[in-house]
Amino acid sequence: LKQVFTKDKTFRPKRKFEPGTQRFELHKRAQASLNAGLDLKAAVQLPRGEDQNDWVAVHVVDFFNRINLIYGTICEFCTERTCPVMSGGPKYEYRWQDDLKYKKPTALPAPKYMNLLMDWIEVQINNENIFPTRVGKCEEEVL
C-alpha cells in the first residue's frame, strides 16, 4: 500500500469498489451528494426560527457520525505496526494529553490516538452540560 502513495508516483489507477460492500455504498452516497449540486452555504445556514446552539449541536453530532464512518473504512489498514505515529504528514505529529492517564503530551500509534480521540468526543457529545438533549428553551424557562 505504501508504494501507491509514494511521492514519485504520478499515476494512480482509479479504485473501484466491489458492489454490495460498505465502501461501494459510501462511494455511491458521496458521488450522489457531489452530483446534486449542493450549495454548502445554504446547507449549513441557520433556518429561520431555529436556535443557533441546537443547530450547531446537530451538525457537530452529524459530523462526528460521518467521521466515525469514514474512519471505520480505513482503520483496518492502519495498525500500530503500520502507523506507529499519529501524524499530519512529515511536519506534524499529534500527541495525546487528557490530564487523566496522559498528563503530558504523549506520542501514540495512530489507532490508539484515534480511539482515544473518538472516545473523548463521544463523552463530550453525551455531556448534558455541553449538548443538552432537550432542544430550544428549557421547561423551567417557559414556566
Side-chain angles (χ1 to χ4, degrees):
L1 186 62
K2 287 183 181 179
Q3 292 172 327
V4 174
F5 295 105
T6 57
K7 290 182 181 179
D8 60 340
K9 296 249 181 190
T10 56
F11 172 75
R12 294 187 185 120
K14 187 174 183 180
R15 293 267 327 243
K16 300 216 179 204
F17 299 101
E18 183 107 17
T21 64
Q22 180 184 12
R23 290 189 183 152
F24 181 76
E25 294 304 316
L26 289 171
H27 174 70
K28 282 188 349 187
R29 289 175 66 187
Q31 288 297 70
S33 66
L34 288 173
N35 295 334
L38 183 65
D39 179 2
L40 292 178
K41 187 175 181 180
V44 297
Q45 192 170 28
L46 178 66
R48 186 178 311 237
E50 294 295 332
D51 180 76
Q52 183 174 5
N53 291 329
D54 294 337
W55 185 246
V56 170
V58 165
H59 284 283
V60 167
V61 173
D62 184 51
F63 184 68
F64 171 74
N65 289 334
R66 290 172 190 260
I67 293 297
N68 216 4
L69 261 177
I70 293 168
Y71 179 63
T73 65
I74 64 167
C75 67
E76 67 187 85
F77 301 106
C78 184
T79 65
E80 290 192 14
R81 187 178 61 75
T82 60
C83 303
V85 175
M86 181 65 187
S87 67
K91 292 183 179 183
Y92 301 99
E93 179 179 318
Y94 297 96
R95 295 176 178 216
W96 185 259
Q97 180 178 359
D98 59 16
D99 295 327
L100 299 171
K101 183 177 178 183
Y102 301 94
K103 301 204 184 285
K104 294 182 180 179
T106 306
L108 297 171
K112 181 147 181 101
Y113 182 97
M114 285 302 299
N115 285 333
L116 288 167
L117 178 62
M118 297 306 272
D119 289 347
W120 181 86
I121 294 169
E122 192 168 11
V123 167
Q124 304 311 304
I125 289 172
N126 291 330
N127 182 338
E128 284 285 325
N129 293 322
I130 300 171
F131 291 95
T133 53
R134 293 194 299 176
V135 296
K137 295 184 177 182
C138 293
E139 289 180 28
E140 295 81 25
E141 292 176 355
V142 175
L143 298 175

